[in-house]
Amino acid sequence: MTGVYITIDTEYASSLAGLGRAENFARSIAGETPEGPAGVFYKMRLMERCGLKGVFFVDPMPALLWGREAIVDVVRPIVEAGHDVQLHCHTEWLELAGSANPFGGRTGRNIADFPFDEQCAILEWARDTLVAAGAPRPVAFRAGNYGANDDTLHALAEIGLAYDTSHTPGIADSACRISLTRRHRRPIRHCGVIEVPTGCIRTFGRGLRHAQVTAISSDEMLAAIRHARDHHLSSFTLVSHSFELLCRARMRVNTILQRRFEKLCKGIAEMPGVASATYADAPPRPSAKEGPRPVLPASRMRAGMRMAEQLVSNSLYGAR
């Protein structure tokens, strides 16, 4: 059985902090629009109808501005619905916190911008804030912007988190500074934790493209999951965000991405030999095999259909 980790980075937008907590929650978490909601609550209901569980990486850093209740409002519905809550962290909020910054005014866009001791302090504060908001004690982490380094992994081990999933072999220019390469695509013990790379597919020219809902089509994602199953791989990690099914201004539903996510969930539910998995119940296992993990080969038909779909999506929803 191949475990599919449907991971959703669940976060208030630091770029919208000036709008206040309620408006930010509506746009970034709930995804409220005139057409109806398309954020985490919509995604949870869809997954529940399909018999799936999601892994919600929740960022507690906005509590620096708005207090613990801002995180309780995110965590409580996820826990009550029986989904998995793990730790996410966008350090951009430290600059927005101003005098409320508890780390001596230190700021940085990514957790990797801080030395080891400061990373330990930030991650411990984030973990404790997430738990105080009602989440079970997390075991897994993903860095905001994927911006982790080896010190981050050592810091996670230091504070008792066993898994990281910030390594993104499918993004050539990501902010991730972990000392792994795009050939490292299997779960692997590294720097004191188990690193779980995000999924990817092959593109033409030997490149890779990451398995994110906005980056590849539902046909490509489902083909990649079947490929992982047929190669007896134990897991495959998909990435989404709480606001991802909206237009860029987060005011309307992007119906193309919404249909993509719906088709993905239904396809996983109906696919023999695969099941959704969580870090709470069935965390990924390090691979006993060496060498690069098999990747879904490039397909001109699937890639062409995706590019046409993306063109329409960007035309309809890219500017508003």
Side-chain angles (χ1 to χ4, degrees), residues 10-12 57-65 67-68 70-71 75 86-90 93 122-123 125-131 133:
T10 304
E11 59 200 46
Y12 291 89
F57 283 90
V58 176
D59 179 15
M61 300 302 283
L64 292 166
L65 266 67
R68 184 189 304 166
I71 313 307
V75 167
Q86 298 298 336
L87 183 62
H88 194 42
C89 182
H90 275 273
W93 291 91
I122 292 167
L123 292 170
W125 183 93
R127 178 203 63 196
D128 291 348
T129 301
L130 188 68
V131 171

Side-chain angles (χ1 to χ4, degrees), residues 8-19:
I8 299 171
D9 293 355
T10 304
E11 59 200 46
Y12 291 89
S14 59
S15 61
L16 302 180
L19 297 179

Side-chain angles (χ1 to χ4, degrees), residues 43-318:
K43 288 185 173 181
M44 286 194 293
R45 286 194 297 271
L46 175 61
M47 285 190 283
E48 288 157 14
R49 289 199 301 270
C50 294
L52 306 176
K53 295 291 186 181
V55 183
F56 291 80
F57 283 90
V58 176
D59 179 15
M61 300 302 283
L64 292 166
L65 266 67
W66 299 317
R68 184 189 304 166
E69 285 303 309
I71 313 307
V72 172
D73 288 347
V74 179
V75 167
R76 181 185 292 146
I78 299 171
V79 172
E80 289 177 348
H83 295 281
D84 190 11
V85 175
Q86 298 298 336
L87 183 62
H88 194 42
C89 182
H90 275 273
T91 54
E92 302 100 308
W93 291 91
L94 290 171
E95 182 174 2
L96 296 171
S99 61
N101 182 333
F103 305 107
R106 286 281 287 121
T107 63
R109 173 171 168 75
N110 298 312
I111 189 71
D113 296 335
F114 299 84
F116 170 75
D117 289 346
E118 291 181 2
Q119 289 198 43
C120 288
I122 292 167
L123 292 170
E124 188 170 34
W125 183 93
R127 178 203 63 196
D128 291 348
T129 301
L130 188 68
V131 171
R137 191 176 181 87
V139 299
F141 174 76
R142 177 177 290 143
N145 311 314
Y146 304 110
N149 62 5
D150 286 355
D151 276 348
T152 310
L153 307 191
H154 288 300
L156 292 172
E158 179 73 17
I159 69 168
L161 272 72
Y163 301 89
D164 178 73
T165 180
S166 304
H167 176 50
T168 54
I171 306 179
D173 58 349
S174 84
C176 184
R177 303 181 207 164
I178 295 170
S179 60
L180 297 171
T181 71
R182 70 175 199 159
R183 292 174 61 83
H184 293 100
R185 302 190 292 265
R186 302 179 188 270
I188 184 175
R189 296 187 185 277
H190 187 65
C191 296
V193 301
I194 297 171
E195 182 61 37
V196 183
T198 58
C200 57
I201 65 172
R202 183 74 66 190
T203 60
F204 296 102
R206 303 296 295 172
L208 298 172
R209 192 169 179 87
H210 57 300
Q212 184 168 332
V213 171
T214 54
I216 62 177
S217 69
S218 53
D219 286 344
E220 289 172 313
M221 285 184 276
L222 293 171
I225 294 167
R226 283 193 296 271
H227 180 270
R229 177 202 63 189
D230 294 347
H231 284 78
H232 310 290
L233 302 178
S234 62
S235 66
F236 191 87
T237 296
L238 298 165
V239 179
S240 185
H241 288 77
S242 49
F243 49 80
E244 203 161 80
L245 305 186
L246 305 178
C247 71
R248 289 186 182 172
R250 304 185 189 179
M251 300 293 286
R252 297 184 297 141
V253 176
N254 182 323
T255 58
I256 292 173
L257 294 178
Q258 184 181 49
R259 287 195 296 268
R260 184 181 290 183
F261 189 75
E262 290 175 352
K263 185 176 179 180
L264 170 67
C265 289
K266 292 174 183 176
I268 293 171
E270 295 169 358
M271 190 181 299
V274 307
S276 64
T278 69
Y279 282 82
D281 296 331
R285 303 186 303 272
S287 176
K289 296 184 178 180
E290 296 183 359
R293 170 185 174 129
V295 178
L296 178 72
S299 162
R300 292 189 184 280
M301 179 175 292
R302 285 192 298 262
M305 292 295 291
R306 181 236 306 153
M307 287 188 282
E309 191 176 81
Q310 298 285 79
L311 182 64
V312 174
S313 177
N314 291 334
S315 174
L316 293 175
Y317 303 107

